[in-house]
Structure formats: C-alpha cells, structure tokens
Amino acid sequence: MGEEKPLFARVAIIGLGLIGGSLACALRQRRLTGEVVGFDKRADELALAAELGVIDRASGSLAEAVQGSDLVVLAVPVRATRSVLEALKPYLDSDAVLTDVGSTKSSFVSDVRAVFGELSPRVIPGHPIAGSEKSGIRAANPELFSRHKVILTPAPDTNADALERLKSLWEGCGATVLTMSVDYHDEVLAATSHLPHLIAFSLVDTLAGEDENMDIFRYAAGGFRDFTRIAASDPVMWHDIFLSNRDAVLRVIDHFTHDLDQLRTAIASGDGATMLRVFSRAKAAREHFSKMLSGQAYVTTNSDKQVTFQLTPGGAITGDIRVPGDKSMSHRSIMLGALAEGITEVKGFLEGEDSLATLQAFRDMGVTIEGPDNGFVRIHGVGMQGLQRPRGPLYVGNSGTAMRLFAGLLAAQSFDSELTGDASLSKRPMGRVADPLRAMGAVIETAEGGRPPLKIRGGRTLTGIHYEMPVASAQVKSCLLLAGLYAEGVTSVTEPAPTRDHTERMLAGFGYHVHRDGATASVTGGGTLTACAIDVPADISSAAFFLVAASIAPGSDLVLRHVGMNPTRVGVINILQKMGANIEILEEREIGGEPVADLRVRSAELRGIDIPEDQVPLAIDEFPVLFIAAACAGGRTVLRGAEELRVKESDRIQVMADGLAAVGVETTVTPDGIVIDGGQPIGSGTVNSHGDHRIAMAFAVASLRATGPIKVEDCANVATSFPGFVELARQTGIQITAEGSE
Ligand code: S3P
C-alpha cells in the first residue's frame, strides 16, 4: 500500500477459526489494514495464532480487542453470535464498522437487532463463499478468498463509505464482492450450499448405518467420493447453520423431496421419459455450470467475457469448407420439434449461443432434448399443450429471434412467463411483437419503450387477427404465426416486402398447413404438429463472410458446401454478383423443403453499386460484411431503405461507419443507409464491435485488404452465431488470433 492510508487503522477479528484466521493472514500479508488484533475465547488457539504470525497481536479480552478498532469482524460460530454481540456491545466505538462472515444472514441481522435494538448503518453483514473441510487456525490460508466470491448484504441506509471500504478490503484479499438482500442471500445459500451439505451428511450416514463395518465404502468409486466430500465438514458449524437458516432450508428441502419423489415414481413405473427429461436437463445445467466456473462462454456468462481479435494484414482465401448451421432454422427446429407429437431429429443444428439459449429454454419448460452432439439433436416433442411452466425467467441471451418468437408461443400458454436477455437485447424493440399480440388478446408487459424483459400472462384465449406489418420482419411474422397456431380462427400476416420464410416452410414440414396468398401468410389455429427429420443447411449469413473474403483477397479460390439458398436469403449473393463478384452456384438441390447449393467463389474486381432496395430484407444480416466489400470496390456504393439495421444487435450503420473510420475509411451515414466511396486504403486501427458478432467478423475480413494490423474489441458474441469462426478463418487464410478466449 506504500504511503497510502490503510482502509482500516485497526481490525479486530473475533474468532480465529479457518475463516477468521485466513482473513487475518490475508490482511497482514497484503498490508490492507493497520494493526490486526485477534481474540478467541480458546486461549490455546489465540496463542497459536500469535505464534504462527496470523495476527499482529493477541488481545487478552474481547473488550481490549474491540475498543479502539475501526473494523470488527465476527468470525465466531453462527449460534454464538448473539452472546458475543452482547459481550462486545459496551466496547464498540460509535464509528466502528461491524461485519461478520457467517453463512446465514437473517440470523445475524436478528441477533444485531436483539442486542442493539436496531441495525446501524455501520453494520454490514458479510459472507465469504470460501472454505474447506479443514478447520482451525492451523488451516488458515491467506489465499483462501482469492478468486472466490464474498457476499455483502447491506441495507438501504448502510453507510456508503463504510460499504466501499469493506468492499475494497475483500477485493484486496482477491475476492469478487457481490451485494444482495439478506433474504435473497439466505434463499440462494439454502439451495446451493446448505441442501447439498445436508444431502451429503444424510447419504453417508444412511450408508454407514446400514453396514456397521462400513465395508461398502471399499467398493465406492470416484463418483461417491466427489459427491460426498462435503460430508467431512464441521458438524457443529453445520448444525448451527441449519438451526439459523431454518425456514429457507425447509422450503428447499420440500422442493427437493417433491422432485425426488417424482423420480422415485418414474423408476417404479418404468417411466423412462421422465428420467431422461430430468437427467438431460440436469446434465445441461451442470455443463453450463462447469463452463461458468472455468470462465468459458455460454449464454449467461458470455457478456462478461472480453475477447479481442488481432489481425495481421493480407492473405488469400482458399479451401473447401462448410460453415455452421443456419441460425434461423436451428431456432425453429427446436421450437416446432418441442411442440410436435413424436421425436424430431435434427442434423446440422447450430451449436451457437443463440440457438442453445432456445434449446435450454425448452428444457426449462420440461421438454427432453438430447444433444447437441456434433449438430445432432433429438427432441422428444410434448405436443401443443405439453409445455410446463418454467421455474424462473427464460433467459435468451443475445437472441432477438428467440425473444420475439417465444413471445408468440408463450402468449398462448396456460402459465405466466418472463423473457429476459443480455445488455444488447435489452435495448431492442419488442413493441413490434407485443402490440399485435395484444390485439390477439395476449397480456404482455414490457419495460419502458417496449424493451425487454417481457412479462407474459398465461391462460388467455387468443383470437386470430389480420396484421399488416409496418416493417418487413420475419421475426414479427413468425411470432404471430406461432401464436396463430393456438388462436381461435385464422391469423394472417401481410409483409411489406418478402422476408425469410423458414417458419412457413418448416410448419409445412411438420404437417401444419400454411396458406400463402401473395404477400400474406395465414394459419388456422387448433391443429397439431407431427415430428419429422430436419437437415439444417449451412448458414448463408455465416457463409457471407467468406464470400466477401474470397472476393476481395487476391488469389482466392474457395468452395462453401451445403449452403442454404432459400430465395428469401440470397440477397448477399445477388448484391455481390451485381458488384462483379465471381460466385458459381453448384449442385443446386432441395433438402427437407429448403434449397441448398455448393458455392465456389474466386477473387474479383468489385465495383460500387446502388444497392436495390428490394434486396435489403433479403440480405438484412449481411450488411456489415457487404460494407467491407463496398470499401474494397471501385466507385461508390449507396445503401437506402435499411433503417432496420439500426435496431439489430447494435446500430449496424453507425457502428460500421465508426469502425471503418477507425481504420481510415470515411463514409457518409444517412438515416436509412450509408454511402461508401470504395478504394480508400484500409489502414491499421482499433475497432469496437460493440458486442455485435457480425461487426466483429466483418472487420476480420477487412484485414485481408488492410495495410496494417487491425484489432477488434468486444468479440465474445461471435459465439452466438458462428462457433469456431476463428479456427475456420485461420484455416482458410485470414491471419487472426483471438485473445481472451478459453
Ligand atoms: C430472423 C429475422 C431477421 C434477422 C435475424 C433472424 C429470423 O430479423 O435479422 O437475424 O430468424 O426470423 P427481423 O425479423 O427483425 O428482420
């Protein structure tokens, strides 16, 4: 700390067990405070603490420890809290901060109230989520809190300066500090810590009790050892915890015994489907948890991750590749498969975070889904009325498609639900689906300005409407058609320009008739879906990066296999061909109701064009990389009628213009488009992708024609639509590395 003033001049640690001792060591070693004095009523432990150098000084009495200390940390057994508080009360300085390290927080608060009559703004309950089966001062470890979480549960009137200093103290010990309410803390801990300990104690005791010689443990393997490790924890401490957190623990025990009983029934009656559902949902949750622990990207953790692309200029694009599966179709395959009668098998499913979020949401609603395993997914359909109420909000990460399509589906269910998303999705407009759904009779609450989260009331009867969409949006159309499956009568949607029609095609594949009349698609509610097999082609939106890459990089020759060529998606090919790109369409075929082809693309001199407005909805996701093509083309490219780009994962017009400017390419932004004069050299620079996957990948492609290195920041979300992008880009000739990935 050098000459800086310590966070606290004198800290008294009352109770020198594992936690108190470790905190004392950490504070001393890291010089976070002035003097660290300790007190423990066990004289031998106290003497040992001084001898081991865990504390600066052993206090002869509680009074001596507390008096004159500006931070008092209670690290005594939870059940001893009240008597220790009573004993220290007369000696506590009026401006001292008082905290604790106990595992239950409402009991601490009620002890403080009982002793002091109130909870002063300088009392801040705390709980480091760290420990070990070892106990006692000899086990004290200054690193115990490093990379662990510490929960503080301040009250609304807690002294802000005291809270800040206490936070800094724990952070100084290497911990991450979270704050939450006392009640929430106790609920969460009852579920994630207290119940598992209870089960471990109980299971080991049951087995030991059945066999006096404990012989069966000889046959126990790693699974048993891992599962029961925590049964070796301190019995007294745990007895304290269960007595102190009684109510929250009882609630979670009831929940667990109910679910265990369900599994018992399933085993007794040979109900394999229930077992498979529970086990696969648990497996997915456990894998998600492992990824969270190891800091890897997955739906809920992704936004915290910082990934930076480093690009070396130049290169040619060659090879024969297949990009991952189509995102739009992957979402829809899970949705319709879940609602169908029977088992739907999907090949080529996109294992990106967006479609995985959809998959997880259906698991949360009780659907058994096996996989994904190399793009293979098996969905055990529950029928139109078979979804179950999820236990909490459905989190759909970065995915606008998931949120908007789910809104239609959930508005028609018998249960209430809530849809939430990440920071980017939370800014996107949802009124475009909430308004027409309300006209059908749905009850939906949004946050201000029609933004997420969406709170959807269940148990409503929906009625079919005719809707003229003000914007050309496949998500809005699909949302209403999905709601229409449940509505009384006919639901019809007219689009102002053609938008992707995967929902209509896939519904037909599941045996549900969709009527098409010019620009209007309609369904009659009340039908059923029949499971089928789905082969998801490679995503043309992901292929687009390589179409542009191979076009702009001299000496390129690349084949892209099995690309989805739905006529509502091929705008990028039409536009690039108009710009002079050399793209050959080979082996055109139809697979599962969707056209597919192989594409061969070679370098070409591109020229600037006026992008035909009718191509805009057909290439809506490809503009970031098309802007790079335009920057490399000879002459001027003008885009109009594309205001929708401003409400995608980022404002794609502005963010692209800013990114291009950062590498020395000036453009003119208009309200509904952009003007790009091609041929300006692409220089070196740092681009902020604003967490938008397609912006990040577009600038990776730009490096092929750059004169110096490019750095692209905030790229973690590339995993939403294109897992494995970096490897595939490198394999084909883009000189890219990703920093900050696992
Ligand atoms: C999608 C529709 C489009 C597109 C998005 C996927 C879909 O959005 O941009 O990436 O799967 O229906 P809009 O419907 O908002 O245009």
Side-chain angles (χ1 to χ4, degrees):
M1 298 230 80
E3 294 305 301
E4 274 175 54
K5 198 166 157 272
L7 291 162
F8 295 92
R10 193 175 112 164
V11 180
I13 300 196
I14 313 301
L16 293 166
L18 172 72
I19 302 286
S22 298
L23 178 60
C25 286
L27 297 181
R28 291 197 65 213
Q29 208 174 72
R30 297 169 189 237
R31 297 182 203 289
L32 293 165
T33 60
E35 201 183 15
V36 180
V37 298
F39 177 74
D40 197 300
K41 69 174 194 205
R42 299 163 300 178
D44 47 344
E45 290 289 294
L46 183 60
L48 189 59
E51 198 184 308
L52 295 172
V54 168
I55 49 177
D56 288 316
R57 188 161 57 82
S59 292
S61 68
L62 183 63
E64 191 193 317
V66 171
Q67 232 160 18
S69 291
D70 52 352
L71 174 65
V72 176
V73 182
L74 236 59
V76 298
V78 174
R79 301 284 290 172
T81 302
R82 191 173 296 195
S83 61
V84 175
L85 286 173
E86 266 156 7
L88 67 73
K89 183 179 170 192
Y91 310 104
L92 190 67
D93 285 3
S94 62
D95 56 357
V97 176
L98 175 66
T99 187
D100 79 321
V101 297
S103 306
T104 65
K105 299 281 56 99
S106 33
S107 66
F108 179 69
V109 169
S110 56
D111 287 339
V112 171
R113 286 220 167 90
V115 173
F116 290 87
E118 51 146 24
L119 191 69
S120 109
R122 295 184 162 274
V123 176
I124 307 170
H127 177 201
I129 316 279
S132 99
E133 309 83 77
K134 297 190 204 134
S135 47
I137 193 71
R138 281 193 186 280
N141 165 14
E143 293 304 317
L144 189 69
F145 311 108
S146 167
R147 293 200 300 276
H148 280 69
K149 296 204 167 59
V150 170
I151 300 176
L152 298 179
T153 60
D157 66 344
T158 295
N159 180 288
D161 168 63
L163 178 60
E164 228 14 78
R165 283 191 293 146
L166 188 58
K167 258 174 105 171
S168 306
L169 189 83
W170 281 115
E171 284 165 1
C173 297
T176 307
V177 177
L178 307 172
T179 57
M180 61 180 68
S181 73
V182 166
D183 288 347
Y184 188 63
H185 169 276
D186 286 0
E187 290 289 334
V188 169
L189 268 290
T192 58
S193 168
H194 306 170
L195 180 67
H197 278 84
L198 189 81
I199 296 171
F201 281 128
S202 168
L203 176 71
V204 175
D205 182 57
T206 303
L207 299 183
E210 269 180 12
D211 174 359
E212 270 178 22
N213 299 327
M214 301 200 192
D215 238 16
I216 57 164
F217 292 137
R218 278 207 237 150
Y219 311 113
F224 179 80
R225 192 185 54 225
D226 293 348
F227 183 77
T228 56
R229 177 177 59 79
I230 50 183
S233 307
D234 179 2
V236 178
M237 180 179 95
W238 281 98
H239 132 284
D240 282 7
I241 290 172
F242 289 114
L243 292 173
S244 306
N245 198 21
R246 176 177 175 272
D247 295 345
V249 168
L250 289 181
R251 272 193 296 278
V252 67
I253 292 178
D254 290 346
H255 194 158
F256 177 69
T257 32
H258 170 267
D259 286 3
L260 189 64
D261 206 46
Q262 248 180 8
L263 277 177
R264 188 191 184 285
T265 310
I267 294 169
S269 61
D271 172 4
T274 295
M275 285 186 257
L276 205 51
R277 190 185 73 231
V278 173
F279 299 161
S280 45
R281 196 165 58 190
K283 179 177 188 312
R286 183 62 178 82
E287 279 164 0
H288 171 39
F289 177 61
S290 313
K291 285 183 182 159
M292 277 173 71
L293 287 182
S294 62
Q296 288 177 38
Y298 189 64
V299 274
T300 55
T301 52
N302 194 40
S303 43
D304 302 338
K305 266 205 8 161
Q306 281 311 323
V307 175
T308 302
F309 287 171
Q310 298 284 4
L311 295 138
T312 304
I317 299 296
T318 54
D320 187 329
I321 61 170
R322 177 168 172 164
V323 298
D326 186 278
K327 181 150 71 82
S328 295
M329 287 186 232
S330 295
H331 281 297
R332 288 158 171 85
S333 68
I334 300 288
M335 294 183 176
L336 300 188
L339 297 176
E341 311 276 346
I343 292 177
T344 292
E345 292 192 338
V346 184
K347 276 202 302 195
F349 177 79
L350 169 67
E351 295 183 34
E353 293 182 353
D354 275 12
S355 35
L356 287 173
T358 289
L359 190 152
Q360 184 58 34
F362 278 99
R363 283 194 174 129
D364 291 345
M365 291 189 284
V367 181
T368 304
I369 304 176
E370 296 173 70
D373 183 5
N374 267 319
F376 181 77
V377 180
R378 184 182 286 121
I379 309 154
H380 297 247
V382 294
M384 295 298 288
Q385 308 298 337
L387 296 181
Q388 292 167 15
R389 180 196 178 125
R391 288 183 186 162
L394 296 170
Y395 177 79
V396 294
N398 193 245
S399 178
T401 306
M403 186 166 284
R404 296 197 178 117
L405 271 58
F406 269 125
L409 261 182
L410 293 171
Q413 302 302 317
S414 58
F415 48 82
D416 295 350
S417 52
E418 182 173 347
L419 288 164
T420 61
D422 71 1
S424 147
L425 183 56
S426 299
K427 289 190 212 137
R428 297 180 64 186
M430 295 296 145
R432 55 177 61 192
V433 289
D435 291 339
L437 286 172
R438 287 182 188 125
M440 295 175 77
V443 176
I444 302 181
E445 243 180 73
T446 65
E448 219 183 298
R451 313 282 154 189
L454 299 184
K455 290 188 179 151
I456 302 172
R457 182 83 55 79
R460 309 287 304 179
T461 303
L462 303 186
T463 313
I465 56 166
H466 172 69
Y467 190 63
E468 302 265 347
M469 284 195 294
V471 287
S473 165
Q475 292 176 353
V476 176
K477 173 177 66 174
S478 303
C479 162
L480 298 181
L481 292 177
L482 290 175
L485 303 181
Y486 290 89
E488 281 176 359
V490 176
T491 300
S492 56
V493 187
T494 302
E495 49 193 12
T499 67
R500 65 192 68 191
D501 63 357
H502 305 300
T503 303
E504 297 93 302
R505 286 175 189 250
M506 211 179 275
L507 276 171
F510 277 88
Y512 207 110
H513 177 66
V514 181
H515 185 69
R516 226 320 139 183
D517 181 8
T520 304
S522 51
V523 292
T524 304
T528 53
L529 300 169
T530 308
C532 63
I534 296 176
D535 184 343
V536 179
D539 197 329
I540 190 168
S541 298
S542 297
F545 298 100
F546 292 95
L547 291 176
V548 172
S551 298
I552 64 171
S556 298
D557 187 352
L558 179 78
V559 174
L560 290 151
R561 298 281 173 194
H562 209 81
V563 180
M565 292 289 285
N566 183 308
T568 59
R569 295 287 297 282
V570 292
V572 63
I573 295 181
N574 299 338
I575 292 168
L576 283 173
Q577 283 180 331
K578 199 164 180 298
M579 294 174 83
N582 179 356
I583 302 172
E584 265 182 83
I585 300 170
L586 310 166
E587 305 281 339
E588 287 181 83
R589 55 215 186 256
E590 189 167 305
I591 294 179
E594 291 275 357
V596 172
D598 298 337
L599 303 176
R600 180 175 181 193
V601 51
R602 281 170 279 185
S603 338
E605 284 295 322
L606 300 182
R607 50 184 179 270
I609 57 166
D610 270 10
I611 296 175
E613 272 190 51
D614 64 356
Q615 294 299 310
V616 170
L618 312 185
I620 193 67
D621 291 335
E622 286 65 77
F623 284 104
V625 79
L626 282 170
F627 290 3
I628 301 299
C632 297
R636 173 170 286 193
T637 295
V638 182
L639 171 68
R640 296 187 195 83
E643 52 276 272
E644 270 294 296
L645 291 181
R646 294 197 179 270
V647 290
K648 293 292 178 191
E649 286 83 327
S650 68
D651 174 346
R652 285 186 173 157
I653 296 176
Q654 195 57 53
V655 172
M656 278 306 295
D658 293 346
L660 284 166
V663 293
V665 177
E666 292 310 323
T667 60
T668 307
V669 162
T670 60
D672 67 340
I674 196 166
V675 180
I676 300 175
D677 286 315
Q680 307 172 55
I682 298 176
S684 183
T686 298
V687 172
N688 184 343
S689 78
H690 287 263
D692 185 326
H693 52 139
R694 300 204 197 278
I695 307 267
M697 290 185 277
F699 280 98
V701 170
S703 70
L704 290 163
R705 286 275 289 265
T707 55
I710 295 179
K711 179 170 157 184
V712 190
E713 293 176 331
D714 207 358
C715 301
N717 278 336
V718 165
T720 60
S721 69
F722 202 147
F725 170 74
V726 171
E727 293 70 26
L728 205 55
R730 204 181 300 132
Q731 182 191 319
T732 52
I734 296 178
Q735 299 175 69
I736 181 171
T737 55
E739 287 173 359
S741 51
E742 63 274 3

